[in-house]
Amino acid sequence: MLVIRQGDVEKLFHGREREQIGAVREAYLLHEQGVTSLPHSIFLRFPEQPANRIIGLPSYRGGEHPAAGIKWISSFPGNIETGIARASAVMILNSLRTGRAEVLLEGSLISAARTAASAALAADVLTRDRRPEGVSLIGCGVINLEILRYLKVAVPGIRSVTVHPSSAPRALEFARQCAEILPAARITRAETLDDALAAHGLISFATSAGVPHTDLTAAEPGSVVLHVSLRDIDPETLLGAHNIVDDADHVCRENTSLHLAEQATGRRTFIDASIGQLLADATAFTPDPEKVTVFSPFGLGILDLALAVDVHAAARRQGLGVEITDFLS
């Protein structure tokens, strides 16, 4: 078994945002073609620790380069207060010849990259007729920072970044990190959520919200919202917006805003299209310029799988990782 450490993954990821967006795009197209297998994610919760959870995402990707594996990712929000990252993850890739586990990868960087690449790809697709010059980042953590890094590649021309954090100290450090990614951009802080929503036509939610807490009244008509954290926007608001998802069966569960909207109406007709449909056929969705368009990705395991396979191949080529020859007899 090859063990690929976080430092190795970071080295192999560096400067390859465009290739990773391409890998995510290919995974979405394969999913649209029906050549993937994606069981529902497994949520392990703890009765005495309701804020914490560990999620298992098994997946199979068919096509020209088939692969199978699972991501096991934890979310412990309290870690942030002690200086530890909220999320940690490992990934396992299995041989499709023997079924044996053959690669163990540090997965938190892969998870953040696939989330950011997915959001940036959706922003590219949904803003082609009206490119934004700025973006509002609601939530000042690793995910929004990575989303900005990938937006720099997918949606060039962003000159202004507005951040809305949960605390002032976090805002200062986050703004500094944003400036490192986009040195020429103007970085400002929004005091209120509505100020952030009104600042730009491209908005990214990446928070730890457990229940919906906002509408989108302050957002300009025609804005594109990357609803990455899935539980920020009031369900009633979603019913009046355009909704694009990665997979309706996956995203309409676990009390996401879309799940609550489905429960309230008894149907999913408020979902306009999947991102795979839009990639396969650009004419599959024509937005009303008076409506906000919301992209809500559950985060499909095939995206993690796509990036993990690329990391594994690159690690083998470059001789990175630790080979354990006696893991199995």
Side-chain angles (χ1 to χ4, degrees), residues 224-305:
V224 171
V225 178
L226 308 173
H227 188 205
V228 175
S229 37
L230 292 177
R231 294 171 179 85
D232 296 271
I233 302 172
D234 182 86
E236 197 67 33
T237 298
L238 291 183
L239 296 177
H242 287 304
N243 290 281
I244 308 299
V245 301
D246 52 4
D247 185 295
D249 286 337
H250 285 259
V251 80
C252 289
R253 58 193 296 261
E254 293 295 328
N255 291 321
T256 64
S257 295
L258 285 91
H259 187 199
L260 298 178
E262 179 190 30
Q263 290 176 325
T265 62
R267 56 188 183 274
R268 297 177 181 174
T269 53
F270 60 91
I271 297 177
D272 293 88
S274 71
I275 188 66
Q277 286 176 303
L278 300 189
L279 291 170
D281 178 8
T283 66
F285 166 67
T286 303
D288 179 342
E290 295 302 311
K291 285 187 174 185
V292 171
T293 298
V294 181
F295 174 60
S296 299
F298 189 76
L300 304 181
I302 51 168
L303 308 187
D304 300 281
L305 186 64

Side-chain angles (χ1 to χ4, degrees), residues 215-227:
D215 57 31
L216 298 175
T217 305
E220 294 181 6
S223 293
V224 171
V225 178
L226 308 173
H227 188 205

Side-chain angles (χ1 to χ4, degrees), residues 13 20-21 24 107-119 143 146 150 304 307:
F13 265 13
Q20 289 152 8
I21 292 171
V24 165
S108 66
L109 296 181
I110 290 172
S111 188
R114 67 85 152 140
T115 301
S118 166
I143 297 301
E146 288 304 298
Y150 284 76
D304 300 281
L307 297 194

Side-chain angles (χ1 to χ4, degrees), residues 310-328:
D310 281 356
V311 167
H312 177 212
R316 289 290 189 190
R317 288 194 302 270
Q318 297 184 32
L320 297 176
V322 178
E323 192 79 56
I324 300 177
T325 58
D326 58 351
F327 184 78
L328 295 173

Side-chain angles (χ1 to χ4, degrees), residues 71-85:
K71 178 174 74 172
W72 185 240
I73 180 167
S74 69
S75 175
F76 279 55
N79 285 354
I80 295 172
E81 303 305 322
T82 61
I84 302 173

Side-chain angles (χ1 to χ4, degrees), residues 137-149 174 204-206:
L137 302 177
I138 299 167
C140 295
V142 171
I143 297 301
N144 256 342
L145 194 66
E146 288 304 298
I147 286 173
L148 183 63
R149 191 186 314 279
F174 188 77
S204 174
F205 280 93

